Amino acid sequence: MTNWNVILNIAKTHLLTKIKQTATAALGVTFGIGAYITLVSFMTGLNSMLDDLILNQTPHIHIYNEIEPSKKQPVATYDAFKNSFNVVHSIKPKFSQKKIHNALPIINYLKKDENVKGAIPQIKSSIFYIAGPIELGGNLTGIQPLDEAKLFNFNDYVVEGSTQKLHNTENGILLGAGVAKKMSLTVGDRVQISTIKGDIFPLKIVGIYQSGIADIDAIQSFANLKTVQRILGEAENYITDINVKLHNIDVALPMAQQIEQQFNLTAIDINTANAQFETGTTIRNLITYAVSVTLLIVAGFGIYNILNMLIYEKMNDIAILKATGFSGKDVQYIFMSQAIIIGLVGGLIGLLIGLIFTNIINTIPFETEALPTVETYPINFNGWFYIIGITFAMISTFLAGYLPSKKAKKIDPVTIIRGQ
Amino acid sequence: MSTVLEAKHINKYFKKPVLFHVLKDINFKINKGEFTSIMGKSGCGKSTLLYILSTMDTDYEGELYLNNELVTNNTRDQLSYIRNKHIGFVFQFHYLLSEFSVLENVMLPAKKLGEKSFEEIEHDAMQKLSILHIDHLAKKRASRISGGEKQRVAIARALINNPSIIMGDEPTGNLDSHNSDNVFNIFKQLSDEQGLSLLIVTHDEDFAKRTNRIITMEDGKIIS
Ligand SMILES: Nc1ncnc2c1ncn2[C@@H]1O[C@H](COP(=O)(O)OP(=O)(O)O)[C@@H](O)[C@H]1O
Ligand SMILES: [Mg+2]
């Protein structure tokens, strides 16, 4: 038989007469929850921004021909040595082409798969940029500019000019920003490139490409698929890489394995290729929760402290309540509800502060070369964080209130009354 | 005459610091409407006995009956309820909740009992306060009134649930003679006019002489 009206009324009176200490304890919770909301919204915002970056710009499956030694050396196929132990020294890679055999039928086959959003060809080639007597080594990749822009947000990387212009200009090139800087070239200029075989071609610069990674921008350029085929003197079916984008990223791994088996090619799925990003996400989450839990433990100790102090001060009140018929449980509830009120009020204000803070952060400009599409600090607004936050606050204040209130429950009124 | 309170063969020992037989075979009855005082030298065990009779102390041997029902070995929650409903206690040191108003202090045990509506409780509390001539203090903070007034508030609080018996442990011990008289007159009036049973520990010879019956204790025994 618990009369909550009376219990809450006593709890309220205790809290209000100790308003300064109450406010301090609640402020501890406010800081903990505010920091949690701010941190978790910012960190997960960062995570999903980085993930999106990877997901949007990286092929979900990358298919190419790996140059590697034969898994089965010729000697193993020779019956005469079947039962002997064969040692082969200095194994060389098997002679094979970089070209994907039957690339165009494979692309058509992939495009028909319902899991596939798009499959587009690329040609990777090594070339030299020629500036007077200087030859700079580099990579020229042949692409289908409009498809790249559509499927892999290629436009985000083109800082001057456009993919559309590349598509329209047969001898056009999107020059890497580092290359352009080294050779003092800008859009509209011409650049000469030389193949490994020594053939020289002049190309017109229609745009500048910048990935944000200096090492790549210092060597990498892009041209139309056909242009690269012509430069290399190869036929129209010469393709070295196929990039696949899926509707659902989860099927990337099984599909990559299936492609490897079916076509005898190398197929890397996005999760295998970007395993380190998963680690980064995990660590950021770990930091967020470690910091928040630490703050809440500190806040919990604050509540534990104030309740202990309050119970010490209110010994006489506790004795009189028990003498006039309040049970140990009633007294425990009085102090538990004080802890819970502190936690609830502090927690709710913390949520509010978190909301305000994240909204402010969300408007702070954040411009970096590496992330051309991002303008302000990323924030992930997610209702779950608020539910977790207030649950967190309630649990920690409950624990902090439990021990002191248990002590209050056990106080023997006779000892107190005798002590006077 | 019905019995309100009965003690049968009550013995109590303190085990620390040394084994000490503080109450020795206490037997007595309090009848309904009786105004009884307990006297005895300091340290003879009066308070210890009163804590047992008020059910706050459960560490004793023997049997305790309230309204002819055995309360010994009841659970703590049952005892809380008994204290709340049937026993009013007045201490030497007023023991009010200092942050609450006088009225709230008086109402608290009735709110805990929860048998009446807020309005009824408030009405009862005001009535008890006016019996004790302190209704004008109702809205004052309990910490802002004089010692004699505090003790009268404590009596009003002890009365609020219309208990079977009021117990007091030297309720006038801390008051000057004027206020002592005042408190005694209140007890006497409650006993005469409302037929209330009272059991009051006192050092005050004059006080004791004016009650219906005096129980005298010595060294943990009742001697008369
Ligand atoms: N908690 C305790 N532990 C040991 N001895 C106690 C305790 N409380 C009281 N006493 C002793 O018991 C005796 C009776 O105490 P008390 O009932 O307070 O006496 P009175 O109220 O008659 O003055 C005293 O000698 C006192 O010292
Ligand atoms: Mg005493």
Side-chain angles (χ1 to χ4, degrees):
Chain A
M1 194 185 59
T2 311
N3 193 334
W4 281 105
N5 253 343
V6 189
I7 285 171
L8 289 177
N9 185 33
I10 298 174
K12 191 188 80 188
T13 309
H14 279 172
L15 289 178
L16 288 181
T17 49
K18 287 265 168 293
I19 190 71
K20 267 189 197 159
Q21 286 93 327
T22 307
T24 315
L27 217 59
V29 181
T30 301
F31 274 130
I33 296 299
Y36 163 73
I37 293 293
T38 312
L39 268 173
V40 79
S41 303
F42 182 54
M43 287 292 197
T44 57
L46 215 57
N47 280 345
S48 60
M49 182 192 72
L50 292 174
D51 287 352
D52 283 354
L53 223 59
I54 302 295
L55 296 187
N56 289 340
Q57 295 168 349
T58 318
H60 294 170
I61 302 175
H62 177 202
I63 305 168
Y64 60 103
N65 234 342
E66 186 93 85
I67 304 285
E68 59 186 352
S70 300
K71 288 200 173 93
K72 203 174 183 191
Q73 289 295 320
V75 68
T77 63
Y78 193 41
D79 275 351
F81 299 123
K82 208 167 73 181
N83 292 322
S84 42
F85 184 73
N86 304 312
V87 179
V88 185
H89 288 286
S90 54
I91 294 174
K92 298 287 184 293
K94 180 182 142 194
F95 177 78
S96 63
Q97 292 173 308
K98 279 180 76 182
K99 166 187 169 179
I100 297 176
H101 191 62
N102 275 339
L104 298 179
I106 292 176
I107 289 174
N108 282 334
Y109 168 83
L110 287 174
K111 277 181 178 168
K112 279 188 201 132
D113 192 317
E114 58 180 12
N115 286 323
V116 174
K117 196 170 172 191
I120 51 176
Q122 283 195 346
I123 304 169
K124 296 220 167 119
S125 67
S126 300
I127 47 101
F128 297 101
Y129 304 99
I130 300 177
I134 305 167
E135 288 188 344
L136 289 173
N139 295 329
L140 182 63
T141 301
I143 56 170
Q144 294 179 335
L146 299 185
D147 288 345
E148 291 282 349
K150 201 172 77 197
L151 288 178
F152 298 114
N153 295 22
F154 189 67
N155 276 332
D156 291 349
Y157 290 145
V158 179
V159 291
E160 274 178 65
S162 70
T163 47
Q164 184 65 44
K165 247 183 176 168
L166 180 63
H167 178 74
N168 295 342
T169 315
E170 202 173 313
N171 281 332
I173 183 170
L174 282 174
L175 200 62
V179 184
K181 199 176 163 207
K182 274 188 206 168
M183 301 172 66
S184 306
L185 294 169
T186 55
V187 176
D189 292 344
R190 283 181 176 277
V191 60
Q192 288 199 312
I193 62 139
S194 152
T195 63
I196 296 178
K197 290 174 193 155
D199 306 325
I200 293 178
F201 292 85
L203 294 175
K204 184 166 185 253
I205 302 170
V206 295
I208 301 294
Y209 162 85
Q210 188 177 46
S211 69
I213 301 168
D215 281 349
I216 291 178
D217 297 342
I219 54 174
Q220 182 67 54
S221 294
F222 293 88
N224 280 310
L225 207 61
K226 287 206 174 74
T227 315
V228 178
Q229 283 165 346
R230 198 159 43 77
I231 289 171
L232 296 178
E234 296 284 356
E236 279 203 4
N237 64 358
Y238 181 86
I239 305 277
T240 62
D241 299 74
I242 300 170
N243 288 338
V244 181
K245 182 147 188 171
L246 302 170
H247 291 293
N248 177 6
I249 191 171
D250 293 335
V251 300
L253 181 61
M255 195 159 170
Q257 285 168 341
Q258 193 216 331
I259 291 170
E260 281 199 348
Q261 287 211 329
Q262 194 172 351
F263 301 110
N264 195 21
L265 293 164
T266 305
I268 301 284
D269 70 284
I270 186 168
N271 293 326
T272 309
N274 295 291
Q276 72 273 26
F277 275 93
E278 206 51 35
T279 318
T281 304
T282 315
I283 288 183
R284 274 187 292 274
N285 281 339
L286 205 67
I287 292 173
T288 306
Y289 281 91
V291 171
S292 312
V293 167
T294 310
L295 287 171
L296 277 175
I297 287 176
V298 173
F301 271 109
I303 293 176
Y304 176 83
N305 246 354
I306 188 189
L307 278 190
N308 259 336
M309 193 191 70
L310 204 69
I311 286 166
Y312 189 77
E313 277 180 22
K314 300 288 177 205
M315 285 289 190
N316 283 345
D317 285 20
I318 293 169
I320 193 67
L321 286 172
K322 287 188 170 176
T324 54
F326 284 77
S327 66
K329 260 203 198 98
D330 292 333
V331 171
Q332 182 175 23
Y333 290 154
I334 288 173
F335 290 95
M336 277 308 291
S337 32
Q338 294 185 28
I340 287 171
I341 290 170
I342 292 175
L344 199 63
V345 172
L348 287 177
I349 298 176
L351 294 185
L352 195 69
I353 288 195
L355 186 67
I356 294 172
F357 255 56
T358 46
N359 271 298
I360 293 174
I361 292 174
N362 203 24
T363 62
I364 298 176
F366 173 63
E367 276 164 33
T368 162
E369 282 191 350
L371 307 165
T373 49
V374 175
E375 281 156 18
T376 59
Y377 281 95
I379 292 290
N380 178 11
F381 292 100
N382 186 336
W384 273 109
F385 298 153
Y386 291 77
I387 293 171
I388 293 172
I390 198 74
T391 313
F392 234 37
M394 294 326 294
I395 289 175
S396 70
T397 52
F398 189 88
L399 292 180
Y402 184 75
L403 291 178
S405 70
K406 187 97 182 165
K407 197 169 79 182
K409 178 186 176 181
K410 287 196 177 140
I411 285 173
D412 177 12
V414 173
T415 317
I416 309 297
I417 294 167
R418 230 187 238 293
Q420 274 282 351
Chain B
M1 263 288 180
S2 64
T3 311
V4 177
L5 190 74
E6 182 171 8
K8 279 188 186 169
H9 306 294
I10 289 195
N11 281 280
K12 180 173 172 75
Y13 300 85
F14 283 121
K15 292 172 184 83
K16 285 178 204 166
V18 287
L19 190 70
F20 173 40
H21 195 174
V22 54
L23 295 178
K24 296 162 190 161
D25 195 38
I26 304 282
N27 291 287
F28 70 93
K29 278 185 187 178
I30 307 273
N31 290 325
K32 193 165 170 9
E34 215 175 4
F35 186 177
T36 312
S37 56
I38 300 180
M39 290 201 73
K41 294 211 177 74
S42 187
C44 71
K46 304 181 298 291
S47 297
T48 309
L49 177 61
L50 213 55
Y51 297 141
I52 290 172
L53 298 179
S54 69
T55 76
M56 283 193 282
D57 188 354
T58 51
D59 181 19
Y60 62 91
E61 291 163 10
E63 288 166 354
L64 178 66
Y65 294 85
L66 191 73
N67 295 326
N68 298 314
E69 280 178 41
L70 182 68
V71 298
T72 308
N73 295 330
N74 275 9
T75 65
R76 290 201 165 274
D77 284 353
Q78 284 171 325
L79 293 179
S80 289
Y81 176 73
I82 288 171
R83 280 201 294 282
N84 191 213
K85 188 165 172 63
H86 297 296
I87 300 174
F89 210 104
V90 184
F91 308 94
Q92 178 172 5
F93 300 92
H94 36 76
Y95 282 111
L96 299 179
L97 304 190
S98 55
E99 283 140 2
F100 289 78
S101 74
V102 163
L103 186 62
E104 281 169 324
N105 265 286
V106 176
M107 289 169 73
L108 217 50
K111 284 191 192 165
K112 165 61 197 165
L113 191 62
E115 282 181 355
K116 292 180 180 167
S117 72
F118 180 86
E119 285 74 23
E120 286 174 288
I121 294 172
E122 193 171 31
H123 175 263
D124 286 358
M126 282 310 292
Q127 191 215 332
K128 305 290 179 203
L129 285 174
S130 59
I131 292 175
L132 300 168
H133 311 294
I134 43 171
D135 43 337
H136 58 285
L137 300 175
K139 295 289 171 202
K140 278 207 167 177
R141 275 257 295 233
S143 53
R144 299 266 162 80
I145 58 177
S146 76
E149 288 166 342
K150 278 178 185 168
Q151 201 56 298
R152 278 187 276 168
V153 175
I155 294 168
R157 185 184 59 200
L159 290 171
I160 187 71
N161 285 337
N162 297 319
S164 311
I165 185 164
I166 298 253
M167 299 184 193
D169 190 0
E170 302 185 32
T172 58
N174 210 28
L175 301 177
D176 60 28
S177 59
H178 169 74
N179 274 308
S180 281
D181 265 1
N182 205 331
V183 167
F184 178 84
N185 290 335
I186 290 165
F187 282 145
K188 188 77 189 152
Q189 194 186 344
L190 290 170
S191 167
D192 294 345
E193 290 176 11
Q194 312 206 7
L196 205 69
S197 318
L198 292 133
L199 179 62
I200 307 293
V201 170
T202 183
H203 268 130
D204 187 336
E205 197 96 33
D206 298 333
F207 184 113
K209 273 184 194 146
R210 287 148 73 190
T211 61
N212 304 145
R213 172 182 163 201
I214 301 176
I215 294 174
T216 313
M217 283 182 71
E218 203 176 290
D219 289 338
K221 277 183 275 198
I222 293 180
I223 54 169
S224 69

